[in-house]
Amino acid sequence: MSLVRVHNFSVSLDGYGTGEGQSLEAPFGHAGDRLHSWFFHTHTFRAMQGGEGGETGVDDAMARAWGDGIGAEIMGRNKFGPQRGPWQDHEWNGWWGPHPVFRTPVFVLTHHPRPTVEMAGGTTFHFVDGSPQEVLALAREAAGGLDVRIGGGPSTVRAFLAADLVDHLHVVVVPVLLGRGERLWDGLEGLEKRFRIESVTSPSRVTHLTFTRP
């Protein structure tokens, strides 16, 4: 059976995975880039953008596992874009431009399904309404035996954790306090009992936590 994995998911010290006030210009709301600046400096991020260089230390070693063995992704609608309710704009296809970094089938959770969108480079966005179990079954079929990545945002990761469907979870604790936004851990008391947990702190001052099923 393929694994269900979460990678490079950043949270603040007070547990927020995104800030308040998401918009087209501010994908992470008032958090800005504070939760992800550790990632932007890595070689992995530069390579994803088609660039060169970048740091190759602890942060990069953790970040580069993001794509290995992944055959499909599941994301929440708010990771795809800031629109709410029925789709008003079918021309805009996410924050990643014409060549999204995923290069696999991507299943976008929404109560308002819309036609599939095929993008350059192998990314295909499917817009589906269903339970975590139902959507995971679709993603596993599309992944062809490879692993499925849960890409976020916080409510989507939380839903798959609550359903006990996650095999590997990589959380990056960033030393900032956001105070408002959407939290990851709410309703997940006792989660630590399901996993073997390891941690490492990097020179960028973030702490990488990995939760792996024993």
Side-chain angles (χ1 to χ4, degrees), residues 166-185:
V166 176
D167 301 295
H168 176 89
L169 170 68
H170 168 217
V171 172
V172 187
V173 181
V174 182
V176 299
L177 292 169
L178 292 182
R180 52 199 166 95
E182 188 168 4
R183 288 170 49 85
L184 173 63
W185 302 118

Side-chain angles (χ1 to χ4, degrees), residues 17-209:
T18 191
E20 187 175 81
Q22 184 193 52
S23 68
L24 181 61
E25 297 75 22
F28 297 98
H30 84 288
D33 64 0
R34 286 182 287 168
L35 291 178
H36 305 94
S37 59
W38 70 271
F39 180 53
F40 297 148
H41 299 295
T42 64
H43 173 75
T44 295
F45 176 77
R46 300 280 178 85
M48 287 168 62
Q49 304 301 311
E52 299 180 351
E55 298 175 2
T56 57
V58 172
D59 290 335
D60 186 65
M62 299 298 295
R64 66 173 176 252
W66 175 86
D68 294 343
I70 295 294
E73 167 150 338
I74 298 170
M75 67 171 65
R77 178 173 175 177
N78 294 348
K79 181 178 176 180
F80 178 81
Q83 298 183 59
R84 305 292 193 272
W87 297 91
Q88 302 298 320
D89 181 1
H90 283 207
E91 299 300 318
W92 190 79
N93 292 313
W95 275 295
W96 305 278
H99 295 81
V101 299
F102 309 104
R103 300 183 177 89
T104 67
V106 177
F107 294 83
V108 181
L109 300 175
T110 174
H111 294 304
H112 301 277
R114 54 177 276 191
T116 292
V117 176
E118 295 187 16
M119 306 288 286
T123 299
T124 302
F125 291 111
H126 304 277
F127 302 86
V128 296
D129 186 9
S131 68
Q133 293 86 348
E134 291 168 338
V135 178
L136 178 57
L138 294 175
R140 276 195 159 129
E141 182 177 0
L146 297 176
D147 292 346
V148 175
R149 183 175 55 233
I150 309 300
S155 63
T156 298
V157 174
R158 188 169 61 245
F160 279 82
L161 287 170
D164 198 21
L165 296 174
V166 176
D167 301 295
H168 176 89
L169 170 68
H170 168 217
V171 172
V172 187
V173 181
V174 182
V176 299
L177 292 169
L178 292 182
R180 52 199 166 95
E182 188 168 4
R183 288 170 49 85
L184 173 63
W185 302 118
D186 290 352
L188 297 175
E189 180 179 355
L191 174 75
E192 72 282 355
K193 298 175 184 177
R194 305 183 208 162
F195 297 96
R196 181 179 66 251
I197 304 174
E198 299 179 1
S199 68
V200 60
T201 300
S202 82
S204 65
R205 301 182 302 131
V206 304
T207 299
H208 297 273
L209 298 173

